[in-house]
Amino acid sequence: MIRSRLSGLRSKMAGLGIDYFLIPTADYHNSEYVAPYFRTREFFSGFTGSNGTLVVGMEEAGLWTDGRYFIQAEKELAGTGVDLYRELEEGVPTVDAWLADRLAKADVGTKTVTRQAETADAQAVKEGHAPTLGFDGRCVNVSQMRKFRKEFAGLGVRFVTDVDPAEGIWQDRPARPAAPAFVLKEEFAGESAVSKTARLREKMAEEGAGLYVENRLDSLMWLFNLRGHDVECTPVALSFGVVTMDRRILFLQEEAVTDEVRAYAGETGLELLPYDTIYSFLEDPSLYRTGRSGRDGEANGPDPGRIWFQPGSLSVRLLDAVQKGRDEALRQEKKDAAGEALVCSRQGGPGRDVEKRSPVEDFKAVKNEVELGNIRSCYRDDSAAVCRFLYWLSQHVKKGTVTDLTEMDAAQKMDSLRAQIHDYVDLSFETISAYGSNAAMMHYTAKEGACARLKPEGMLLVDCGGQYLRGTTDVTRTMALGPVTDDMRRHYTLTAVGNLQLLDAVFLYGCSGRNVDILAREPLWQTFVDYKCGTGHGIGYLLSVHEGPQNIRWRFTEGMAEAVLEPGMIVSDEPGVYIEGQYGIRIETILEVTEAARNGDGRFLRFAPLTLVPLDPALIDPAYLTPRTREVLNRYHARVYEEIAPLIPEEERSWLREQTRPL
Amino acid sequence: MIRSRLSGLRSKMAGLGIDYFLIPTADYHNSEYVAPYFRTREFFSGFTGSNGTLVVGMEEAGLWTDGRYFIQAEKELAGTGVDLYRELEEGVPTVDAWLADRLAKADVGTKTVTRQAETADAQAVKEGHAPTLGFDGRCVNVSQMRKFRKEFAGLGVRFVTDVDPAEGIWQDRPARPAAPAFVLKEEFAGESAVSKTARLREKMAEEGAGLYVENRLDSLMWLFNLRGHDVECTPVALSFGVVTMDRRILFLQEEAVTDEVRAYAGETGLELLPYDTIYSFLEDPSLYRTGRSGRDGEANGPDPGRIWFQPGSLSVRLLDAVQKGRDEALRQEKKDAAGEALVCSRQGGPGRDVEKRSPVEDFKAVKNEVELGNIRSCYRDDSAAVCRFLYWLSQHVKKGTVTDLTEMDAAQKMDSLRAQIHDYVDLSFETISAYGSNAAMMHYTAKEGACARLKPEGMLLVDCGGQYLRGTTDVTRTMALGPVTDDMRRHYTLTAVGNLQLLDAVFLYGCSGRNVDILAREPLWQTFVDYKCGTGHGIGYLLSVHEGPQNIRWRFTEGMAEAVLEPGMIVSDEPGVYIEGQYGIRIETILEVTEAARNGDGRFLRFAPLTLVPLDPALIDPAYLTPRTREVLNRYHARVYEEIAPLIPEEERSWLREQTRPL
């Protein structure tokens, strides 16, 4: 099946003179999770993981993915003719390096198609001889494009960026999602969209940028206090947004614009335009002219032709549209030299535009007091549901009162308990319920008919979360279902020690996640064990379950954001141990960054746990538990009991008391 | 006295039309410690600390220094009319920001001196109106100059960089040091200078840079396997160096060139030129031409006009000389357009030159096997001397058999024990012997006639080190001289826990000091205490006691190097507690980075201690010692006894056994 799809794509490539076609895991919005409509990488490779890049050549194809998915990808790619490239492993080339190698070798002399040079490397491009890379420019961001240009310098590569690879090949492609959007009231958002825009414009004015273009859905939803249902598990509406010093424009699909949304837009001065018109809107030169106030060329405020954008998230196609619009404005000015002066920078290149992290990302990451109050209350309810699930598991699997339960059954039980919470909107991601060796695959998904049965032995890992009007949750617990080995207990305890050391950290203001990561990792590193992923990520408010700019990682790759931990940010704390073919352990607790103390030595911060679910005492080997972490664990468990006991049925409380008894 | 010196400088400034004069703590070599000849900042301010920047205006003067020196600077500046600016404290402007503010306000309208615009900000410069900053361009590096240009953008500032502020004012200025240099044999260096240059040229070729210019003395000494005696405590000879693809040139003072050095230079193809001719040498356009081999313009190898330099260490004057030489070469080429083509980049600006950390710095930081063997043996002997000192202290102060001892007496005893080691060359820095509240000043120096008497109570901090043919040492121990308070024991123990946690760290290859810093700091941070300095620094081999590029710090300021910890690097581990007016604690152990394990999870590294001196059991409060650090401490102490006992007199051994008994 995959082979025939690839052969369809190769015919298309041959027709367009494309040597290699790149298909990232991406929609038009740089989203982490993409709706089925956009899953072309999965369609052409069969690999279902959440991260991967497929490159298709005429004779070969390769898929790149990260350590979480090595095991899964190997299984899913078997027999497809697509080779697996394990990212960051020694000797494995990056996508860019691999492409540079292949494009340099591309047997271009034999081609008959006439090509035009579209790149800066025009000197090396000869008619009929340009090695050509194709991709959908709506799905590739500006940074990636620049990396390609840099990596391929001197090869005279031609880029074809206006091809949707699936068009005409993916017959039963799902419809583009288009659900009604809704307004997030201020009792949940804590700040009006008008106030948020004012803060954004302040930052724009500081940088002299008169134009802000955004395609990331969570940023747009946060900025305009809207939500939608277009992406599974992420309550966003497909949209694009433009903010200038006097306009706020949201490009929404017709189906998203309900009466409520239209009324809200009218009241708050938000212009609504059709989703698909963003490109022509940006190509219109009039956007880049100042109004009458700009006539005398001074004190005009920010330059309307100076765009603030994030190269790491804005799509190539959107920036191309801006450039086209500015070029046209410049042409018009030249023609109309006798007329009024236009005050704008139509030649804005990397040097002129503001290429910085969007202020919206920074604003969004620091939750306001209303959001924090909602989040704390939401995590209590969510934690209570997880506790009820753990109780259910202890009654049905451990005690063997119900047999024949599968991973899926466990996930469904968990999901149904969560769905009972009064302001539940959706899951925040598909629940991971992984038993035994399946848990060694970091992002394993149990599938109907192909999932493990739970036995009263070994461990079950459940990673799950919900979307509520009061926030977004994420939690992982690993539980013993019966007898476990000494190794399992040792690894679980070392993971717990790391989790608790980070939870209990005190640090000076100015630290990023990079400073504190080792607190979670060191107990495992001492035994020469590592987990091949970050320790923590930020979390949105009724938005993406992963959000930046903060995170907790030890190693930073070029271009990766590194943000200071600010009070009001929330981050996950999720060390783990993954032994291929044997078992997987992850303990994930969500933490809030809070003030701790201020004195002559500085401003100290610390974490406060939002997740309130016990760790499994059956998996803790006191021999590996340090006195400090024992104390931190006992304090944490006491708080879990205090806050969760009132929220669960009486018969479950004695179980919770037992689970949280001091060690 | 200071006031009259400043008035002399102000007269000179008035004559030259200079509004503000900047005097950094620097020689012509970006050295950390500067010889007395170069101590103009001290001469004009009276502040004797090792770090500080003085700025003198016509009506005011300011001195900027870091947290180590706040207390000391306050004392020394009293009555001088120089204001203290405490770096990194809230609300305290940086030197650059302060200067920008002052230069913007400079009352330039009233000046009569005609000035020329020398800067890029020509549009703002009007004759007679350019605010002017003066400094000695041999003492300011390119990065600092660029920061000024950026900070002062739009102010039309004129720079006067060819003035030595002390000339004509400092009557009894010490002579410029000029001692004989000597050759460091391969049994100590472990690699020939020719091999080192070959490695450098390989890196130059990779970057296409045909010219390497160096003014840092430790880099030059390392690269050419020479040492000298021109800087106190740092065995270097004043010198400049130039390496091209076919020449190696060292600019040395006449007095440094002994017969041995001349013979060695002859044997190894090292050109020796007079120290002061470096500027005219670089201004000579012939340096930037290729030879005959360059004629056909291809496969020429690196561009002789492309310089590799570190903007953060190369002096403004040296880069100016290079630029002058290249400009002249370009002029000659234009004149001689009909002649042979010159293949060189005379217009090398930031974009064309290679502005990266010098490969010499990276090479030097990773000690080779010969160096490591020497260093380990050297640290054993040095540690034995420190142990003997501690024994002496216990006999003479603690027991009260000798009274009336001062901090100076203790330092002299320590220094004399060190000087007995067979290959002793010098101290690696002036010994810090700080009793009681003096130890709260991080880099306090006891002075004859103004130093504390040691009493049989409280704590003495001794920070010291030596230069040996086998390497450079650095060690700090804090000892109880009698009864101590509970707070002292608590703070000492928390410092010890941090020191031992870092010493025992296991970490993945790829970590920098920034990843591990928190291991040393966290025990103190938990009690809202911090030390206002880095946790660790690299150390040279018979060179500077502080060397990069690696270090152990939690916060990085822009432009600061961050280097991966590599096996063979050595770093200090020196947390501390400093309570102003009360006491100071520092425990400094030098660590070697070593391989620990390699498996599917990665390449793990760990530290091995080089310093083998016991911590003071009298200062350890077991209530604050974690079981893990207790174990690490016992293991460390066992090793100290095992290795040091054979090196000290028999009567001292039982004392050492007692000090290292398991806790």
Side-chain angles (χ1 to χ4, degrees), chain B residues 323-345:
Chain B
Q323 197 52 55
K324 199 169 164 187
R326 294 196 289 206
D327 286 347
E328 180 55 28
L330 183 63
R331 248 190 306 275
Q332 291 180 3
E333 188 193 22
K334 279 185 180 164
K335 270 193 194 168
D336 190 28
E340 289 184 10
L342 299 175
V343 182
C344 67
S345 65

Side-chain angles (χ1 to χ4, degrees), chain B residues 44-84:
Chain B
F44 282 110
S45 69
F47 169 60
T48 61
S50 72
N51 177 35
T53 301
L54 175 67
V55 180
V56 179
M58 298 310 286
E59 324 255 277
E60 59 178 339
L63 180 109
W64 279 255
T65 189
D66 67 70
R68 296 174 301 175
Y69 291 114
F70 290 168
I71 303 168
Q72 177 181 337
E74 208 167 346
K75 285 186 186 174
E76 294 180 341
L77 294 180
T80 61
V82 179
D83 301 322
L84 172 61

Side-chain angles (χ1 to χ4, degrees), chain B residues 324-632:
Chain B
K324 199 169 164 187
R326 294 196 289 206
D327 286 347
E328 180 55 28
L330 183 63
R331 248 190 306 275
Q332 291 180 3
E333 188 193 22
K334 279 185 180 164
K335 270 193 194 168
D336 190 28
E340 289 184 10
L342 299 175
V343 182
C344 67
S345 65
R346 288 147 208 117
Q347 296 177 309
R352 304 222 41 177
D353 291 326
V354 181
E355 302 193 359
K356 275 187 176 183
R357 187 157 69 218
S358 157
V360 173
E361 200 173 334
D362 289 317
F363 296 160
K364 179 163 59 70
V366 178
K367 273 58 182 171
N368 62 45
E369 277 309 317
V370 172
E371 287 174 320
L372 287 172
N374 291 337
I375 288 168
R376 289 178 201 130
S377 128
C378 168
Y379 271 81
R380 273 193 298 273
D381 289 345
D382 189 79
S383 295
V386 178
C387 288
R388 300 198 61 192
F389 168 72
L390 295 182
Y391 170 78
W392 173 85
L393 210 58
S394 75
Q395 296 304 302
H396 293 85
V397 182
K398 277 191 183 171
K399 295 198 174 163
T401 53
V402 174
T403 51
D404 268 9
L405 281 175
T406 65
E407 291 167 331
M408 285 282 284
D409 295 326
Q412 278 159 9
K413 178 67 187 175
M414 180 64 247
D415 296 351
S416 73
L417 286 161
R418 185 165 267 129
Q420 291 166 27
I421 295 172
H422 67 90
D423 60 342
Y424 173 82
V425 175
D426 197 352
L427 297 179
S428 61
F429 57 97
E430 196 178 349
T431 297
I432 294 171
S433 169
Y435 178 65
S437 62
N438 287 341
M441 294 178 260
M442 274 187 213
H443 284 225
Y444 166 80
T445 309
K447 281 182 189 160
E448 198 77 66
C451 69
R453 286 192 186 285
L454 307 183
K455 292 183 233 162
E457 62 178 39
M459 298 180 291
L460 175 69
L461 182 158
V462 176
D463 187 352
C464 56
Q467 297 285 3
Y468 308 90
L469 291 178
R470 289 170 298 154
T472 301
T473 65
D474 186 7
V475 52
T476 310
R477 288 295 181 263
T478 305
M479 293 76 62
L481 296 187
V484 290
T485 66
D486 287 350
D487 270 352
M488 290 176 188
R489 295 180 78 216
R490 180 169 60 90
H491 279 150
Y492 183 91
T493 309
L494 293 174
T495 304
V497 170
N499 172 276
L500 295 165
Q501 279 188 177
L502 180 58
L503 180 151
D504 193 45
V506 172
F507 50 94
L508 274 173
Y509 180 82
C511 278
S512 74
R514 195 159 166 216
N515 292 108
V516 299
D517 179 90
I518 201 168
L519 297 175
R521 243 175 252 269
E522 178 69 9
L524 292 166
W525 279 2
Q526 283 284 338
T527 65
F528 309 130
V529 171
D530 184 42
Y531 43 96
K532 290 179 181 173
C533 59
T535 297
H537 57 82
I539 300 176
Y541 182 99
L542 187 48
L543 282 176
S544 298
V545 73
H546 293 164
E547 81 169 17
Q550 80 278 20
N551 58 38
I552 301 184
R553 293 177 170 269
W554 73 270
R555 179 152 62 178
F556 276 64
T557 49
E558 206 191 297
M560 187 177 276
E562 183 171 359
V564 162
L565 294 169
E566 304 268 357
M569 282 182 171
I570 65 178
V571 286
S572 71
D573 167 10
E574 46 180 316
V577 173
Y578 306 89
I579 314 276
E580 189 173 336
Q582 297 186 48
Y583 55 83
I585 294 161
R586 179 161 67 251
I587 302 172
E588 179 187 26
T589 299
I590 309 306
L591 309 174
E592 176 189 342
V593 181
T594 67
E595 302 278 356
R598 205 165 188 152
N599 61 29
D601 283 353
R603 178 184 174 196
F604 291 90
L605 306 180
R606 71 183 324 151
F607 296 115
L610 289 164
T611 307
L612 296 167
V613 179
L615 273 54
D616 192 346
L619 282 168
I620 287 179
D621 182 340
Y624 300 101
L625 199 67
T626 66
R628 178 181 155 204
T629 48
R630 181 194 299 256
E631 191 198 310
V632 177

Side-chain angles (χ1 to χ4, degrees), chain A residues 216-503:
Chain A
R216 280 171 310 165
L217 303 178
D218 57 351
S219 289
L220 291 165
M221 296 296 106
W222 182 87
L223 183 60
F224 296 114
N225 283 349
L226 290 169
R227 296 295 186 271
H229 300 282
D230 290 344
V231 179
E232 212 183 335
C233 300
T234 309
V236 294
L238 292 189
S239 52
F240 301 100
V242 172
V243 173
T244 68
M245 296 316 276
D246 49 15
R247 297 177 70 183
R248 304 156 63 224
I249 311 148
L250 188 65
F251 296 79
L252 273 177
Q253 295 183 104
E254 200 183 335
E255 297 86 339
V257 185
T258 61
D259 290 346
E260 183 206 18
V261 169
R262 196 183 315 276
Y264 165 78
E267 281 157 26
T268 59
L270 172 65
E271 295 176 60
L272 297 177
L273 290 175
Y275 180 75
D276 292 298
T277 65
I278 178 71
Y279 304 103
S280 56
F281 178 86
L282 292 174
E283 286 170 7
D284 180 348
S286 70
L287 185 64
Y288 308 95
R289 297 181 208 212
T290 49
R292 281 174 185 274
S293 65
R295 232 188 263 180
D296 33 314
E298 67 170 24
N300 286 317
D303 181 342
R306 190 170 195 202
I307 178 179
W308 186 325
F309 72 102
Q310 286 198 182
S313 61
L314 198 77
S315 78
V316 166
R317 197 77 67 81
L318 286 172
L319 190 62
D320 281 352
V322 169
Q323 198 53 56
K324 201 168 164 190
R326 294 197 289 207
D327 287 348
E328 179 56 27
L330 183 64
R331 249 191 305 276
Q332 291 181 2
E333 188 192 23
K334 279 183 180 162
K335 269 194 194 168
D336 190 29
E340 289 182 12
L342 298 175
V343 183
C344 68
S345 64
R346 288 146 207 117
Q347 295 176 313
R352 306 222 38 177
D353 290 327
V354 181
E355 302 193 358
K356 276 188 173 179
R357 186 157 71 219
S358 156
V360 173
E361 201 172 332
D362 289 315
F363 296 159
K364 177 162 62 69
V366 177
K367 273 56 180 171
N368 62 44
E369 277 309 316
V370 172
E371 287 174 322
L372 286 171
N374 291 337
I375 287 168
R376 289 177 201 131
S377 129
C378 167
Y379 270 82
R380 274 194 297 274
D381 289 345
D382 189 78
S383 296
V386 178
C387 289
R388 300 199 62 192
F389 167 72
L390 296 182
Y391 170 79
W392 173 86
L393 210 59
S394 74
Q395 296 305 302
H396 292 84
V397 183
K398 279 191 183 172
K399 297 202 174 162
T401 52
V402 175
T403 52
D404 267 12
L405 282 175
T406 66
E407 292 168 329
M408 284 284 282
D409 295 327
Q412 277 158 11
K413 178 67 189 178
M414 180 65 245
D415 297 351
S416 73
L417 286 162
R418 185 165 265 129
Q420 291 166 28
I421 295 172
H422 67 88
D423 59 340
Y424 173 83
V425 174
D426 198 351
L427 297 178
S428 61
F429 57 97
E430 197 178 349
T431 296
I432 295 172
S433 169
Y435 179 64
S437 62
N438 287 341
M441 295 179 257
M442 275 189 214
H443 285 222
Y444 166 80
T445 308
K447 283 183 188 160
E448 200 76 66
C451 70
R453 284 192 189 284
L454 307 184
K455 292 183 232 165
E457 62 178 39
M459 297 180 291
L460 175 69
L461 182 158
V462 175
D463 187 353
C464 56
Q467 297 285 3
Y468 308 89
L469 290 177
R470 286 170 299 156
T472 301
T473 67
D474 186 7
V475 53
T476 310
R477 287 295 182 264
T478 305
M479 291 77 60
L481 297 187
V484 290
T485 67
D486 287 350
D487 269 352
M488 290 177 189
R489 293 180 78 217
R490 182 170 58 88
H491 278 150
Y492 183 91
T493 310
L494 293 174
T495 304
V497 170
N499 172 275
L500 295 165
Q501 280 188 177
L502 180 58
L503 180 150

